[in-house]
Amino acid sequence: MRTMIDTMLPKQPYEYAMWIDGDWVTSKSSFTRESPAHDVTVGRYPMGSEADTDAAVVAARRAFDAGPWPKMSGADRSKALLRVADGIRAKKEELALIEVLESGKPISQARDEMEWSAGLWDYAAALCRHIYGDTYNTLGESMMGFMIREPIGVVAMITPWNFPFLIISQKLPFALAAGCTCVVKPSELTPGTTLRLGQLIEAAGIPKGVVNIVSGYGNPVGARLASHSDVDMISFTGSTAVGRSVVEASRSNLKKVELELGGKNPQIVFADSDLDAALDAVVFGVYFNMGECCNSGSRLMVQKSIAQEFAAKVIEKAKEVVVGDPLDEATKVGAIVNQTQLDKIQGYIQTGQREGATLKLGGNRRQTERGRFFEPTVFEGVNPGMTIAKEEIFGPVLSVIPFETPDEALRIANSTAYGLSAGVWTKNIDVAFQLGRGIRAGTVWINTFMEGYPELSFGGYKESGLGRELGRFAIEEFTELKTIQVHLGPRTKWLP
Ligand code: NDP
């Protein structure tokens, strides 16, 4: 019997084309995607080649060098970005459905991500009119100095599968606002919404060649973009391992590299905090998006005096988390993106047990008629040296680590190679700021977790990344700073 959810599944896979130089381009070969929750083929995409990638770079180069996009007024670029934002809102349901089918994330969350993404396009539109440099009128009577910001050029963007539409919306509108032209390569697992974005960009009247979208595999498409000598900058989100290979490849022409990589983020709960609020945020922080999230609060650090009691409450709360079909409105935790990721999570469960941590909840694939789901999982008895306390699992797995003093909390928080984000829970303002200042991470949330605003920058310390997205500084990432000096009046001669 067909269920309500079955009626939402496509009868035929959606067909997609690449957006290159203002044309919808197919290729001789294609690849498909199965919904990780439903085992149904949901999309067929062109298999982009090295030649397709080169064509996209040529188009972006021409659109940058010949214009008009980089030379248009901020006001005109702003209007175009606002039209894209409107298009996202108009297509919200369709985009959210594609995102769910390809990624396995809950539908209610996917809708929120579309709204949030539209807000990023709005915000970047406002920034179009606020790109400015500096002037110096203090260099003496005969000299004026100007520092102006110019678009950096052709930017390649490589994005992962966990927040496909949101992550491209953290990059593309900001680069466009700066006046850059772009080539985008989405993850082979979730290319649908990024390719659909091409339609919204076309409808918004953004000139041809300004945005190009090439579907295909990391190798050749991503690798070619990273090494291409006509690409001026690469903006990458994904694993630290691939991030390193992008840095290596970028050496060909010393292009600028911006990286948003992994995290092993602590949520640090002191005994004096609002424990009900902290409890809710801890459960949300680790199970949101199935834990497939660079910001996942996967290390719960709790002050020893309350550690046992608090961990027991976390386990009880985690049992209330609804795991199931991501098309069901009630679902909070959907499907794991693919078998490789499921095996990776399972591997970490075994490693945790082998290294002596105690599995208190979950730890297994959830048995269902179809799809790949994993149970919310909690480990206790974790010490900071264990693999599950140091490496990014990218699954719904929480490690509980006790601590005694603020100094010890700080030392443990900073003990991984990552530095993306952290949460601190306390009513003591001195302790809150001791940790807020001391934690080596790009974002520290105090008495909240994983909230974001387009106005506030996002990015990582240490091996979590290079550069910043969002906020007004994001636009500067996509610019070069040029100094212009103007001599006024007769110049003192070098030779008599
Ligand atoms: P990857 O880092 O493997 O992939 C990210 C993007 O890079 C994808 O578009 C991928 O293409 C592309 N890519 C792959 N190889 C190359 C290459 N040699 N040169 C240029 N681009 C390349 O992440 P995955 O999506 O496979 O996820 C693996 C792990 O990465 C996760 O388990 C998680 O730990 C981490 N991750 C972190 C994220 C974050 O937000 N910090 C996001 C996603 C993943 P393709 O998909 O075609 O391989």
Side-chain angles (χ1 to χ4, degrees):
M1 197 178 68
R2 264 166 79 80
T3 63
M4 179 65 182
I5 280 171
D6 286 325
T7 63
M8 296 167 80
L9 300 174
K11 292 194 185 69
Q12 303 287 331
Y14 299 131
E15 297 287 340
Y16 295 87
M18 299 184 285
W19 177 241
I20 299 174
D21 203 8
D23 275 332
W24 291 103
V25 176
T26 53
S27 70
K28 280 198 205 92
S29 53
S30 60
F31 63 101
T32 56
R33 173 72 175 143
E34 277 203 349
S35 164
H38 311 99
D39 299 333
V40 168
T41 305
V42 292
R44 185 185 313 282
Y45 323 87
M47 179 71 84
S49 62
E50 210 165 276
D52 294 319
T53 312
D54 287 350
V57 174
V58 167
R61 184 84 261 160
R62 195 212 56 242
F64 185 80
D65 292 343
W69 187 256
K71 298 187 180 80
M72 272 164 63
S73 71
D76 285 344
R77 283 206 295 265
S78 173
K79 283 179 203 148
L81 299 195
L82 288 173
R83 288 194 289 270
V84 178
D86 290 345
I88 294 169
R89 291 195 177 95
K91 295 281 178 194
K92 178 170 116 175
E93 284 301 321
E94 181 187 330
L95 292 167
L97 178 62
I98 294 170
E99 204 81 317
V100 173
L101 294 176
E102 293 181 0
S103 73
K105 68 176 64 208
I107 183 81
S108 56
Q109 182 193 317
R111 280 194 206 105
D112 289 349
E113 284 173 29
M114 295 309 149
E115 276 296 336
W116 171 250
S117 299
L120 291 171
W121 285 80
D122 284 344
Y123 177 71
L127 288 182
C128 290
R129 305 177 77 162
H130 286 270
I131 301 169
Y132 48 82
D134 219 346
T135 57
Y136 281 82
N137 193 28
T138 53
L139 308 174
E141 213 181 354
S142 58
M143 182 61 69
M144 288 272 289
F146 299 85
M147 281 145 81
I148 62 168
R149 292 209 169 265
E150 296 184 332
I152 196 166
V154 174
V155 182
M157 298 173 178
I158 301 177
T159 55
W161 45 260
N162 56 343
F163 295 97
F165 200 79
L166 186 60
I167 288 176
I168 193 57
S169 298
Q170 290 187 182
K171 299 178 188 293
L172 186 55
F174 293 86
L176 293 175
C180 296
T181 61
C182 305
V183 180
V184 178
K185 184 231 154 325
S187 164
E188 79 204 38
L189 300 178
T190 55
T193 51
T194 305
L195 291 164
R196 284 277 193 274
L197 178 61
Q199 295 176 348
L200 306 181
I201 284 165
E202 182 182 24
I206 292 177
K208 72 179 205 161
V210 171
V211 177
N212 305 272
I213 306 167
V214 184
S215 49
Y217 289 178
N219 205 351
V221 181
R224 179 72 178 156
L225 287 172
S227 64
H228 206 296
S229 55
D230 260 337
V231 171
D232 300 299
M233 173 176 171
I234 193 134
S235 174
F236 170 87
T237 300
S239 63
T240 299
V242 176
R244 273 187 224 284
S245 80
V246 165
V247 171
E248 287 296 322
S250 70
R251 290 176 174 195
S252 59
N253 66 335
L254 297 179
K255 59 175 69 62
K256 180 173 177 180
V257 181
E258 188 254 330
L259 301 172
E260 207 276 277
L261 308 174
K264 190 70 190 176
N265 315 294
Q267 285 237 57
I268 306 166
V269 181
F270 285 86
D272 72 344
S273 61
D274 176 345
L275 292 176
D276 274 351
L279 179 63
D280 184 70
V282 165
V283 174
F284 157 71
V286 68
Y287 301 128
F288 172 70
N289 209 56
M290 295 70 72
E292 295 167 344
C293 178
C294 52
N295 266 328
S296 170
S298 54
R299 286 190 291 160
L300 166 60
M301 295 172 48
V302 206
Q303 203 158 23
K304 256 188 194 142
S305 59
I306 57 157
Q308 258 195 334
E309 190 191 339
F310 191 78
K313 284 187 177 162
V314 169
I315 290 169
E316 284 315 303
K317 263 274 179 253
K319 288 180 189 164
E320 291 173 24
V321 172
V322 181
V323 182
D325 194 305
L327 287 171
D328 187 329
E329 298 286 343
T331 293
K332 294 280 189 207
V333 170
I336 300 299
V337 75
N338 64 6
Q339 189 61 41
T340 309
Q341 191 62 23
L342 197 75
D343 292 343
K344 185 178 157 196
I345 299 167
Q346 197 75 67
Y348 276 112
I349 304 296
Q350 284 156 11
T351 305
Q353 288 176 304
R354 200 176 54 245
E355 293 183 2
T358 313
L359 183 62
K360 297 290 272 196
L361 181 72
N364 290 302
R365 177 178 180 168
R366 180 159 293 193
Q367 295 309 324
T368 46
E369 273 176 33
R370 59 184 179 185
R372 285 175 293 274
F373 298 84
F374 203 85
E375 295 173 340
T377 296
V378 178
F379 271 109
E380 284 187 50
V382 179
N383 71 55
M386 289 179 179
T387 307
I388 57 169
K390 291 192 298 193
E391 294 185 12
E392 188 179 45
I393 298 175
F394 238 58
V397 182
L398 182 67
S399 295
V400 184
I401 307 170
F403 70 88
E404 255 168 305
T405 62
D407 286 347
E408 190 190 6
L410 193 52
R411 190 171 45 73
I412 298 173
N414 285 336
S415 67
T416 75
Y418 292 112
L420 191 61
S421 62
V424 178
W425 295 85
T426 176
K427 289 187 177 146
N428 182 328
I429 194 164
D430 292 335
V431 171
F433 273 87
Q434 180 192 350
L435 272 83
R437 287 167 152 180
I439 291 173
R440 293 191 37 79
T443 300
V444 178
W445 287 285
I446 296 175
N447 296 328
T448 186
F449 195 72
M450 224 188 304
E451 290 199 63
Y453 295 86
E455 290 85 343
L456 301 182
S457 292
F458 180 66
Y461 279 37
K462 302 196 285 184
E463 292 183 24
S464 286
L466 275 181
R468 291 293 177 268
E469 296 186 344
L470 310 185
R472 74 179 175 84
F473 301 111
I475 205 157
E476 295 185 359
E477 293 281 353
F478 296 107
T479 63
E480 286 277 17
L481 200 53
K482 178 181 277 178
T483 297
I484 298 181
Q485 297 184 26
V486 184
H487 192 274
L488 304 168
R491 186 171 173 273
T492 314
K493 294 209 169 99
W494 186 49
L495 294 175

